[in-house]
Amino acid sequence: MDGVHPQIENGGPPQQNYGPPSQQGYGGTKQRKPGRAKVFTRKDAHPDTIEAPYSNGYDGSREKQTKEKELPRYNDNGQKINHAGHVVHPWVQPDGESGRKGFNPLKFVQICYRSTSTASKWTNILWPFTIAAMVMHFGFPQHQLWVFITCYIGMVPAANLVGFGGQELARKIPKVLGVILETTFGSIVEIILFMVLISTNGGNFAVIRAAILGSILANLLFCLGMCFFVGGIFHPQQTFHEAISEVGSNLMLVAAVGLVIPTIYYTSLSGGRVTPERLTMETARISRAAAIILLVAFFVYVWFQSRSHHGLYEDILEADEERDHDRHKDLAKAKLTATEAIIAVLIALTFVSFMAVFLVQQIDFMVAERHLSDAFIGLILIPLVEKAAEHLTAVDEAYDNQMNFALSHVLGASIQTALLNTPLVILVGWGLGRDLLLNFELFDAVVLILAIIVVGNFLRDEKSDYLEGALCVMVYILIAVTAWYYPNPELEGGTSSAEAGTGSGTAEAVQHATANVAREAVRMLIKG
């Protein structure tokens, strides 16, 4: 029916047409073909706030003007071109079209050195440490401390190249799938580390468990805090869409419950109610079940983002791109071809794998000889180096006032750690006959729950400033200081451990007390 809004046909309320047809895809109405499934978009969630002014006084007029100017361009042959005049191939985003094909070594090195941002570019000066790590490992293995140091530093530029290559490759596919792919490449470093840890020396379970929660804490507190802080310094108050923050925080709630339930079960029954053998066996079964359920939740989340509600996320991310004050500079930068992006990812993954193997081999030395605790290595050291490139990307997006992109990367990385990486390492360990139990240290589990509560409250108002960022970073520093003094699981007395089993009466009393704290924290988490 002519002149009837699609939502009236579906029984919904009418909606005003805010602009000419050139703007209707952004802020007005858009007719859809009869019989085609409706795609959920941003205006479906907030039809009355699409044209609302931003909190900092910005009225959105520049976005509308820029949106109108960035209509598809075509050359004389009727081919779609981007801002630089390059013909845009199917499935490639206009800002990701390089205008070249194949592999050009000189262009490849120049573009990779330039990287994503100035901070990412400066990480490339650390490549000599990557080469030095390989020389130290094969030529001077007796200097274990220097092998660890060079591997740790050398991991940063390799991880940065993984992130940059993944970002360039993500621009060759649709936007939402590109963000998911980019986040996945950011997690590949973590997956490699987990797989090396579980397959080396019988599986370093204590470090893996600490690294799982440490990765989530580094993303939620340190990385998100730096995004809020850096963005708040350059922008008085930043806003983000509730579809990004609410979906992410809700998934983290579910993930936290799935990760912590086996710990509560193990701790509650470790006082002698069942035999240690039975308790271990049943906790292993619960951990496997939790891994399968979390993995299914991850695929549902991917389907939600990439299929059923991809229109919503595309609208949000496209609007976020218009907030970038130096977008014209990014568009003018040379791009990698698809072949070059794949080669960059393969080269980076090769070096990351070497660094991960060499680094893991020195963990026992650092614990035994340098007296670093498993908690500090797993919660702090490993997550910081494996997420360095991803953190730089998210902070740069916050600096450019693209908070929806920054939140997508931060929360997406945390979700992938909890719903994808952790189930994968549990299932791989099951296949190798090395059962990884989700019996986390109670300190780690409670800290995770409290961190999610803190971040969830900061995200609730859909606004951020540098004060909230500073508070998040301070909480992370406090956790790091505590992890430095936290004893290893095999140490007796003083602090309860999830692996202590049936210890002395004092240890059992502390264990039951901390179990009660964990239960109360879970109740607060669910209510919050």
Side-chain angles (χ1 to χ4, degrees), residues 79-80 117 138 169 196 260 263 341 348 427 449 484 506:
Q79 297 173 309
K80 185 178 179 180
S117 61
F138 292 108
L169 189 60
V196 173
V260 170
T263 300
L427 297 178
I449 294 172
W484 176 267
T506 303

Side-chain angles (χ1 to χ4, degrees), residues 65-131:
Q65 294 171 2
T66 307
K67 194 71 179 180
E68 188 172 5
K69 291 179 182 178
E70 291 188 356
L71 291 174
R73 302 176 175 88
Y74 296 89
N75 59 16
D76 295 337
N77 297 325
Q79 297 173 309
K80 185 178 179 180
I81 59 176
N82 64 2
H83 61 285
H86 299 145
V87 177
V88 179
H89 294 83
W91 300 106
V92 178
Q93 299 178 32
D95 58 350
E97 180 58 61
S98 65
R100 300 183 293 114
K101 293 182 179 180
F103 178 77
N104 185 318
L106 181 60
K107 283 281 188 181
F108 176 78
V109 174
Q110 290 176 343
I111 296 173
C112 290
Y113 173 74
R114 185 209 67 213
S115 195
T116 307
S117 61
T118 303
S120 298
K121 177 181 177 179
W122 283 108
T123 62
N124 288 318
I125 67 175
L126 300 178
W127 274 107
F129 285 92
T130 307
I131 306 302

Side-chain angles (χ1 to χ4, degrees), residues 4-16:
V4 179
H5 192 276
Q7 289 192 358
I8 297 179
E9 296 177 357
N10 296 333
Q15 192 175 34
Q16 183 180 356

